[in-house]
Amino acid sequence: MSTAPPDEAGLDRRVRDFLAVHDPAATDRRDFLRARFDAGLAWVHYPPGLGGLGAPRALQDGVDRLFAAAGAPGNRPERNAIGLGMAAPTILAFGTDEQKKRFLRPLWTGEEVWCQLFSEPGAGSDLAALATRAVRDGDGWTVDGQKVWTSMAHEARFAILVARTDPGVPKHRGMTYFVCDMTDPGVEVRPLRQMTGEAEFNEVFLTGARIPDEHRLGAVGDGWRVAMATLMNERVAIGGHAAPREGGMIGVVAALWRDRPDLRTPGLHAELLRLWADAEAARLTGERLRQQLAAGAPGPEGSAAKLAFARLNQEISGLELELLAEDGLRYDDWTMRRPAEVDFTRRSPGYRYLRAKGNSIEGGTSEILRNIVAERILGLPAEPRADKDVPWKDLPK
């Protein structure tokens, strides 16, 4: 029997055979997802035994379409975007065999939600300046510090965490990457309200939190390299997602333009055309990124796509308010909500305008992303960094 990865026709047969045994209408949702993972039809490009079959990543979309057409239950990616888009590829790349077997299955089925403990009040997008400490303690680590802007922390079972383990070396070294159990008594989660009134994010306080050494991802002191792999995947996830033409905010404003000829002016027409063309270029760039990802690892181009996404969303939401004038400014629903997903298209113009401001902060600020684009894509000289060779403990705090 051949052990070669299946091609497209082979995958189609496997999906049909699977569905013949597991009727989506008659199978418990969780049991269905677990069986799909075990059949290698979750991430087809992952290795056998870890939800995949070692097939080309480009074939995943076809498999997903076949399951969707059959009415198969989804694994609610909007609820576990960090787990699926960032934690899973990091665990696959840097985890031990035991870590992969322990974490990937319940992550993919959505039984265990993940969050990301990277940002800190005193560090922000300068991840290398983080101050959360992890101190070796027997067969594990004791962690103390504070994280901020943490999506899904209030629902997460696990978190990917970067902590400083050696303050005596420069700030880009001496960090280590862990998997943190969010149910540990030393972990406290508090909601963080935004100017929309909602609380998508959290503050997370770590006070003597205990992490066993077997929950370390990568070598001690190698946390920066592991974190960079995570962030590359994050920016592709934000800026390189698939979207139809006129999907997202530009579709909302284009529809408004067509439905309300009374709002039109020549100046607004020119601005709409400019943003429509930019949105289409961003959409096609995102599609190219998806194809690039299918062919291998994500590159720094994901940062450019995320940067463009943030700028466009803010400009388009601003144009919508210009079109609607005072009608667009009304926003009076300050109900405390904890949404798992930011849905621009089904919310009010006022919400869209306020929420879009966060796009240039979350997932890496636009300032940091411009540096990445300048240095890693355009090849421009690196920004002078006076603290490059200074031990972290000697840096001004």
Side-chain angles (χ1 to χ4, degrees):
M1 181 177 178
S2 173
T3 58
D7 57 11
E8 183 174 1
L11 278 176
D12 288 355
R13 281 196 300 274
R14 285 174 181 261
V15 173
R16 285 196 296 271
D17 291 346
F18 180 90
L19 290 169
V21 177
H22 303 86
D23 179 359
T27 307
D28 174 78
R29 176 179 177 277
R30 183 166 294 175
D31 289 343
F32 186 94
L33 292 172
R34 288 171 175 168
R36 180 177 165 182
F37 185 95
D38 294 341
L41 297 170
W43 293 295
V44 298
H45 54 291
Y46 275 37
L50 298 175
L53 296 166
R57 181 174 184 147
L59 300 181
Q60 180 71 50
D61 284 350
V63 170
D64 290 342
R65 280 196 294 271
L66 289 174
F67 275 110
N75 59 352
R76 300 182 63 191
E78 77 285 354
R79 182 168 175 264
N80 201 14
I82 292 169
L84 294 165
M86 295 161 231
T90 306
I91 293 168
L92 183 67
F94 295 94
T96 63
D97 290 344
E98 290 74 20
Q99 289 169 339
K100 294 171 188 174
K101 290 176 184 173
R102 165 61 186 88
F103 295 126
L104 290 178
R105 188 174 187 252
L107 186 160
W108 187 83
T109 61
E111 292 169 74
E112 290 178 346
V113 174
W114 287 63
C115 66
Q116 181 190 43
L117 297 175
F118 280 18
S119 295
E120 297 189 5
S125 287
D126 185 8
L127 177 62
L130 65 82
T132 292
R133 291 289 309 277
V135 177
R136 192 68 187 244
D137 180 13
D139 59 355
W141 300 79
T142 299
V143 183
D144 291 278
Q146 181 186 353
K147 302 289 182 175
V148 73
W149 302 115
T150 309
S151 306
M152 300 304 295
H154 56 295
E155 294 194 25
R157 169 61 203 281
F158 290 110
I160 42 178
L161 163 74
V162 184
R164 190 163 299 283
T165 49
D166 184 356
V169 297
K171 66 179 186 178
H172 287 85
R173 292 155 35 202
M175 292 185 286
T176 302
Y177 199 111
F178 299 98
V179 172
C180 176
D181 185 342
M182 295 295 288
T183 66
D184 186 276
V187 178
E188 180 188 1
V189 178
R190 301 177 189 171
L192 191 61
R193 294 193 76 176
Q194 304 147 238
M195 62 180 171
T196 59
E198 300 182 340
E200 299 162 37
F201 304 99
N202 301 275
E203 294 178 291
V204 178
F205 296 85
L206 301 152
T207 308
R210 176 79 178 168
I211 298 180
D213 191 56
E214 58 261 33
H215 281 196
R216 170 170 49 81
L217 276 179
V220 174
D222 201 26
W224 179 256
R225 186 170 69 95
V226 184
M228 288 303 99
T230 302
L231 293 178
M232 288 296 182
N233 283 293
E234 178 184 34
R235 284 151 195 173
V236 169
I238 294 174
H241 59 280
R245 177 172 287 180
E246 289 198 3
M249 279 294 298
I250 194 62
V252 172
V253 178
L256 176 65
W257 180 267
R258 295 184 183 108
D259 295 342
R260 295 285 304 274
D262 56 302
L263 302 176
R264 300 174 184 172
T265 69
L268 292 175
H269 185 216
E271 182 65 1
L272 176 61
L273 287 177
R274 181 182 73 81
L275 292 175
W276 193 97
D278 285 355
E280 183 62 6
R283 184 184 74 82
L284 294 173
T285 301
E287 182 57 35
R288 188 174 71 175
L289 267 177
R290 281 168 48 79
Q291 295 175 10
Q292 178 180 321
L293 192 59
E301 293 82 359
S303 297
K306 194 272 172 182
L307 183 63
F309 162 78
R311 179 183 62 80
L312 269 171
N313 241 27
Q314 291 175 355
E315 291 187 1
I316 295 170
S317 64
L319 175 62
E320 184 179 31
L321 289 200
E322 283 195 66
L323 279 163
L324 292 169
E326 62 269 22
D327 288 340
L329 293 173
R330 296 193 180 97
Y331 182 73
D332 57 5
D333 182 4
W334 305 100
T335 305
M336 168 71 165
R337 298 188 184 92
R338 312 221 67 190
E341 182 184 17
V342 180
D343 185 354
F344 281 96
T345 59
R346 286 183 289 184
R347 302 297 297 274
S348 70
Y351 169 87
R352 286 192 276 267
Y353 182 77
L354 293 175
R355 183 58 185 81
K357 300 304 178 191
N359 293 155
S360 52
I361 302 173
E362 57 197 343
T365 67
S366 292
E367 289 77 10
I368 292 293
L369 297 180
R370 288 190 186 97
N371 273 357
I372 293 173
V373 170
E375 296 174 13
R376 302 185 194 174
I377 299 178
L378 301 178
L380 298 178
E383 184 180 34
R385 295 184 174 95
D387 59 1
K388 184 177 179 181
D389 299 317
V390 180
W392 179 82
K393 64 181 177 57
D394 296 331
L395 294 174
K397 304 294 192 301

